[in-house]
Amino acid sequence: GAVVSQHPSWVICKSGTSVKIECRSLDFQATTMFWYRQFPKQSLMLMATSNEGSKATYEQGVEKDKFLINHASLTLSTLTVTSAHPEDSSFYICSARSSTGTRAAYEQYFGPGTRLTVT
Amino acid sequence: AQKITQTQPGMFVQEKEAVTLDCTYDTSDPSYGLFWYKQPSSGEMIFLIYQGSYDQQNATEGRYSLNFQKARKSANLVISASQLGDSAMYFCAMRNNQGGKLIFGQGTELSVKP
């Protein structure tokens, strides 16, 4: 079964509004979570890396004031797209790495993704 | 800087045949990991196989095997006995063991013909 969940799976919002996407690791603790964006027929582009209890590290070219990331606990990270515009429409995928437990240390688990459409 | 390259945008294979998906990489780090993921049309990323840079043997997971050629910096995925359900996007990815960021190649769209 799924080990990382995302909510919502899809969302449509109006231009100028904000949208929050949740990512949860279900059966392991994730000290590090990653947020990716994927446009149709393209690869996954890393947006930011978040560590529990500290500020996220954003990749070059990603606006940190627009894409707010919070990693408040070992099982939850949120991505908020603020003042969304049509060009923000994309498939957003989170990923989590297990820090301890039975999961292999090298494995990185992905959520099912959230399809955001901004009208 | 790390870089992952997949040069095959699309591949076709006949059902029950084997297929090789190419992946080359570039890194100056001596310690790294190589991954392959499958992404069906639903969008979920499915982990297939992992190869560590210090692993002596090529990784295998069921019908998936990774042809790791370290000197050539290639990590090709071999799928044996292709099935219709193998039709999907396949991504090669690399992570150095210090930074922890997983960087993806461009992807290869595999179509399995009946």
Side-chain angles (χ1 to χ4, degrees):
Chain A
V3 297
V4 177
S5 70
Q6 271 185 251
H7 179 80
S9 56
W10 60 270
V11 57
I12 301 173
C13 72
K14 292 190 174 182
S15 187
T17 61
S18 295
V19 174
K20 180 185 281 188
I21 302 169
E22 290 187 350
C23 175
R24 293 181 185 273
S25 58
L26 299 181
D27 62 351
F28 65 95
Q29 293 184 329
T31 51
T32 306
M33 287 187 172
F34 306 86
W35 286 95
Y36 292 84
R37 181 164 62 178
Q38 185 181 31
F39 292 108
K41 298 292 186 181
Q42 293 188 25
S43 186
L44 282 73
M45 299 302 296
L46 180 65
M47 299 175 67
T49 302
S50 74
N51 292 294
E52 185 261 339
S54 61
K55 288 184 179 180
T57 301
Y58 290 81
E59 294 299 301
Q60 193 172 9
V62 177
E63 299 174 62
K64 61 180 181 181
D65 294 330
K66 181 170 184 62
F67 299 100
L68 301 179
I69 292 171
N70 184 281
H71 192 164
S73 76
L74 285 172
T75 59
L76 174 65
S77 176
T78 60
L79 167 68
T80 301
V81 183
T82 62
S83 186
H85 291 285
E87 57 265 30
D88 298 324
S89 298
S90 187
F91 191 54
Y92 292 87
I93 309 174
C94 75
S95 178
R97 285 180 65 186
S98 173
S99 55
T100 59
T102 58
R103 296 283 176 185
Y106 60 77
E107 290 194 24
Q108 189 161 324
Y109 299 90
F110 287 81
T114 297
R115 198 163 300 280
L116 169 64
T117 301
V118 185
T119 60
Chain B
Q2 298 180 99
K3 188 176 180 182
I4 287 273
T5 303
Q6 293 177 255
T7 57
Q8 305 156 315
M11 288 280 286
F12 289 92
V13 65
Q14 205 69 36
E15 193 179 8
K16 299 179 185 177
E17 304 260 310
V19 63
T20 298
L21 306 184
D22 294 342
C23 173
T24 58
Y25 62 92
D26 192 20
T27 181
S28 56
D29 294 305
S31 180
Y32 52 88
L34 297 157
F35 301 73
W36 277 92
Y37 288 87
K38 172 184 178 182
Q39 187 181 41
S41 57
S42 60
E44 62 179 315
M45 295 292 286
I46 302 169
F47 167 76
L48 297 178
I49 198 166
Y50 167 83
Q51 180 86 43
S53 58
Y54 292 120
D55 293 345
Q56 295 296 314
Q57 295 192 333
N58 287 345
T60 60
E61 288 285 347
R63 294 187 299 112
Y64 304 108
S65 60
L66 200 152
N67 184 0
F68 181 45
Q69 297 187 43
K70 195 171 182 177
R72 297 178 61 184
K73 293 189 175 178
S74 73
N76 299 339
L77 176 70
V78 180
I79 305 174
S80 62
S82 296
Q83 301 172 357
L84 296 178
D86 293 335
S87 294
M89 283 292 289
Y90 287 80
F91 291 98
C92 180
M94 177 172 67
R95 182 177 71 211
N96 71 48
N97 290 342
Q98 280 88 35
K101 296 190 294 187
L102 196 62
I103 306 299
F104 288 85
Q106 304 91 322
T108 296
E109 185 170 11
L110 178 66
S111 298
V112 181
K113 293 183 172 181

